[in-house]
Amino acid sequence: MAFTPLPGTKAPVRVWTDPYGIEPQAAQQLRNIGALPWVQGVAVMPDVHFGKGATVGSVIAMRQAVSPAAVGVDIGCGMSAVRTSLTVADLPDNLGPLRSAIEAVIPVGFAKRDDPVDPRRVRGLEQAGWDAFWRRFDELDRKVAPLEHRARHQLGTLGGGNHFIEVCVEQDGPDAGQVWLMLHSGSRNIGKELAERHIAVARTLPHNADLPDRDLAVFLAGTPEMDAYRRDLWWAQEYARRNRAVMLALLCGVVRDGFPDVGFGEPISCHHNYVAEESYDGVDVLVTRKGAIRAGRGDLGIIPGSMGTGSYIVRGRGNPDAYCSASHGAGRRMSRGQAKRTYSTADLVRQTAGVECRKDAGVVDEIPGAYKDITEVMARQDDLVEVVAHLKQVVCVKG
């Protein structure tokens, strides 16, 4: 579908969903963003919903400025996936032991590792740049220096909330039945700490005094505050990428233990809470994607649904109206609190039928019914991406 302009904004705000269906709080956030003097334009994804400062599912292009709240606190959060040589016929009827094996190797929730990851001991993990990466920790905001131990021990861990690890089966076409591995995670506690510190600094700057929402405070190019944020931002985005790479390599190891002859394709990885330097219509901009992936022409990406519905591997169409972006998932249609008040564990069991996963009260807030319909979300962005593979999970590990 084509975009719909959101009326009443200074900068163009292009919407890839029914603008009248956007929750009022989120619509006001979008109008606030569109009124900022540094904004070149905004692309609103079909999974859009209310967030802190900036809406989740928004792509914001700014000139010589960036808003840390438009990135979010889980800097670099994103997806990784890899296709295996296995088919669904190779999988055992009882997938409980496979889920347990994954959970034994990759800590979930608030857990951290007893010993930090040694890349040399992880088969299939990239070996380059680890020492230089960790040396750069000393250059970060000095207030996070005491967190290095925790950051090292959380690398290669999943986290909680909507983060997950899945074993999926391809649904359609000539490769139906092929098994994929997929995971969703970010920069763990260190990314959150860095983001919150910089958001707090931005709020104190004089040029942000009269903003419609103090959480939209920006850093301006050429200032020490911008330089400090970008330094920490790039590091946190790399931490998130390396975190997913470690887990994907470990996940492949678990599968290899059960299927020694298994083969793996080329991994796909994409951030969906991050900043990139890009250019559109000859204008250099800083693009923040908060709940959106880059979908440049030919770019491979991952758009997951909920823990009981399925996901999509996609190829970008490079639509400049959307700043070459697409949605990052189905998007929530109700808050976690509302989901817990609306649904029971019996509902969770019913909605995740056929999936080996947690089915207890601790994950009711992640129930499929709390999310938008992923098939509808995909239909609304067919001018942004084309579907490469439709996947359905058979195992889902939650934090």
Side-chain angles (χ1 to χ4, degrees):
M1 62 168 283
F3 69 84
T4 302
L6 185 70
T9 61
K10 179 179 178 182
V13 178
R14 308 179 185 105
V15 181
W16 270 263
T17 188
D18 177 5
Y20 298 103
I22 300 175
E23 57 193 313
Q25 284 179 299
Q28 186 57 53
Q29 281 186 326
L30 293 169
R31 291 189 172 90
N32 290 343
I33 294 165
L36 297 179
W38 310 278
V39 172
Q40 181 79 3
V42 182
V44 183
M45 301 294 100
D47 60 340
V48 62
H49 58 93
F50 179 73
K52 186 173 178 60
T55 48
V56 179
S58 60
V59 181
I60 306 169
M62 286 192 180
R63 303 176 303 275
Q64 302 294 303
V66 67
S67 171
V71 181
V73 295
D74 193 357
I75 298 172
C77 185
M79 300 286 304
S80 293
V82 66
R83 187 182 181 193
T84 80
S85 62
L86 302 175
T87 69
V88 65
D90 296 315
L91 298 178
D93 292 335
N94 181 7
L95 292 168
L98 177 56
R99 176 163 76 97
S100 297
I102 295 169
E103 293 169 341
V105 170
I106 301 175
V108 302
F110 292 105
K112 60 181 184 295
R113 296 188 167 279
D114 294 333
D115 299 302
V117 168
D118 180 351
R120 296 167 298 181
R121 300 183 65 180
V122 181
R123 180 177 173 182
L125 181 63
E126 61 175 306
Q127 298 297 304
W130 284 95
D131 290 341
F133 168 71
W134 282 116
R135 282 196 299 270
R136 285 164 49 208
F137 193 96
D138 294 336
E139 302 171 3
L140 302 180
D141 186 312
R142 60 181 177 80
K143 294 179 181 178
V144 303
L147 301 179
E148 181 176 1
H149 179 272
R150 183 174 183 177
R152 286 180 177 268
H153 286 253
Q154 281 196 322
L155 189 78
T157 67
L158 183 66
N162 61 356
H163 293 164
F164 64 79
I165 298 168
E166 289 183 342
V167 179
C168 304
V169 176
E170 195 163 340
Q171 296 298 290
D172 308 307
D175 297 319
Q178 209 73 35
V179 174
W180 288 70
L181 308 179
M182 179 182 296
L183 60 88
H184 170 211
S185 191
S187 52
R188 307 295 285 111
N189 177 257
I190 189 62
K192 174 179 178 292
E193 291 285 343
L194 288 168
E196 289 179 342
R197 292 174 191 277
H198 286 288
I199 290 171
V201 170
R203 287 173 176 165
T204 68
L205 300 177
H207 61 262
N208 292 318
D210 297 324
L211 295 180
D213 182 346
R214 64 197 302 260
D215 283 324
L216 286 177
V218 305
F219 294 123
L220 300 180
T223 64
E225 294 85 3
M226 172 70 103
D227 293 342
Y229 177 60
R230 289 179 62 153
R231 175 201 64 211
D232 293 358
L233 174 80
W234 302 144
W235 186 89
Q237 288 181 181
E238 185 175 351
Y239 182 100
R241 181 185 65 79
R242 289 181 180 271
N243 183 44
R244 291 195 299 274
V246 170
M247 286 189 286
L248 191 62
L250 292 171
L251 179 59
C252 289
V254 171
V255 173
R256 194 181 291 111
D257 288 343
F259 306 91
D261 296 326
V262 65
F264 301 98
E266 188 68 24
I268 302 168
S269 183
C270 58
H271 291 323
H272 54 224
N273 284 5
Y274 77 114
V275 179
E277 299 172 332
E278 298 178 6
S279 181
Y280 296 91
D281 297 324
V283 179
D284 293 333
V285 288
L286 285 169
V287 177
T288 57
R289 295 182 173 93
K290 183 178 182 179
I293 63 171
R294 177 166 171 82
R297 183 169 295 279
D299 289 346
L300 289 176
I302 307 160
I303 302 178
S306 63
M307 62 187 288
T309 53
S311 303
Y312 292 85
I313 307 297
V314 298
R315 182 178 291 109
R317 297 189 186 275
N319 189 328
D321 289 329
Y323 298 107
C324 296
S325 305
S327 78
H328 82 313
R332 297 193 72 92
R333 69 180 185 90
M334 62 176 65
S335 68
R336 295 185 182 279
Q338 184 182 356
K340 290 177 180 179
R341 293 189 296 271
T342 303
Y343 295 109
S344 66
T345 54
D347 295 320
L348 179 64
V349 169
R350 184 174 62 256
Q351 292 186 26
T352 59
V355 181
E356 172 58 45
C357 64
R358 287 179 59 185
K359 300 177 190 283
D360 57 82
V363 292
V364 167
D365 56 344
E366 283 292 297
I367 192 170
Y371 284 83
K372 297 178 181 179
D373 183 344
I374 185 63
T375 57
E376 182 179 334
V377 168
M378 295 302 299
R380 290 185 175 274
Q381 56 185 336
D382 59 0
D383 61 332
L384 306 183
V385 292
E386 61 175 313
V387 173
V388 173
H390 174 205
L391 311 180
K392 176 69 172 65
Q393 66 270 76
V394 292
V395 176
C396 178
V397 173
K398 300 288 289 187

